[in-house]
Amino acid sequence: MRLKLRKAAIPAGIITVRPKPGSRTRALVSFSGRTEEAAIGRSGITARKREGDGATPIAAMRLIGGYVRQDRVTQPPTALPLRFTPEKLLWCDEPRHALYNRPVHAPFKPSHEKMRRDDGLYDVCLVMDWNLRSRKRYGGSAIFFHLAKPGYPPTEGCVAVSLPAIKRLLRFMRRGTVVRVVR
């Protein structure tokens, strides 16, 4: 089911993610004159992203859209295309499978991420164009912009912020907004 979007007259813009000084797994996310705290991959950032390495890729990744758990979060205003997260939505992270780094639906036996997580991390989950349009096997999958756990523990390679921060960010975001991870 597609959500009705509030149109905003905003440019695509750039969101910059840079490591927080003194921390390998925390970052600062800057956009539209604001800075927010974030968690990044357990292995820090890398220019050589590989499946399962736990690193956040150094890259400029366009936002494509995302998912919202309507049973847990009120959909914030945004021009970014968002959909309600279907019950059986999964994300294939098996590099040898034809649907690698693509959304799939349960039942699905190959390795995958569950998109309706019990821990709430994907209650708001934004899809970035990392290894999507021109997929490379073992190039990394499911690199999302999502919610952080309290205390900002490391992710598996995603960028994660608090719920209030993602609501502020969503006002700024639209399809084509670039999330730029830098050193």
Side-chain angles (χ1 to χ4, degrees):
M1 169 183 264
R2 196 157 183 99
L3 298 172
K4 283 193 170 193
L5 303 175
R6 188 178 94 178
K7 303 273 183 190
I10 55 174
I14 295 176
I15 296 167
T16 303
V17 179
R18 66 185 184 284
K20 186 175 180 180
S23 178
R24 179 181 175 142
T25 62
R26 289 219 181 150
L28 298 173
V29 175
S30 301
F31 66 99
S32 192
R34 293 189 63 93
T35 300
E36 302 284 355
E37 181 100 12
I40 55 175
R42 61 181 156 74
S43 299
I45 60 173
T46 185
R48 297 176 188 248
K49 177 70 184 151
R50 299 291 294 160
E51 184 66 42
D53 65 3
T56 300
I58 297 172
M61 301 168 277
R62 291 195 183 281
L63 285 169
I64 295 168
Y67 301 96
V68 175
R69 284 280 304 264
Q70 77 277 14
D71 58 324
R72 294 187 180 179
V73 177
T74 302
Q75 197 256 327
T78 185
L80 185 66
L82 297 178
R83 294 176 180 248
F84 293 136
T85 310
E87 286 279 338
K88 296 184 178 187
L89 185 65
L90 310 171
W91 197 275
C92 178
D93 60 10
E94 173 50 61
R96 295 175 299 257
H97 196 277
L99 293 173
Y100 175 58
N101 201 25
R102 295 282 189 266
V104 294
H105 289 86
F108 185 78
K109 286 192 178 194
S111 182
H112 61 270
E113 287 259 353
K114 184 178 173 187
M115 298 301 288
R116 286 181 67 105
R117 295 172 59 125
D118 294 332
D119 62 11
L121 292 184
Y122 292 174
D123 285 0
V124 179
C125 182
L126 310 178
V127 179
M128 297 187 285
D129 187 11
W130 173 258
N131 201 27
L132 280 174
R133 292 197 177 140
S134 57
R135 279 181 302 166
K136 178 180 169 189
R137 296 206 186 276
Y138 296 95
S141 64
I143 303 298
F144 300 132
F145 202 114
H146 63 76
L147 299 179
K149 289 181 181 177
Y152 299 93
T155 69
E156 293 298 314
C158 298
V159 176
V161 297
S162 69
L163 179 58
I166 211 159
K167 286 182 175 184
R168 286 188 288 274
L169 277 157
L170 279 166
R171 287 186 181 97
F172 176 78
M173 295 172 166
R174 70 178 185 97
R175 183 181 302 231
T177 296
V178 174
V179 177
R180 188 178 64 188
V181 179
V182 298
R183 286 192 196 274

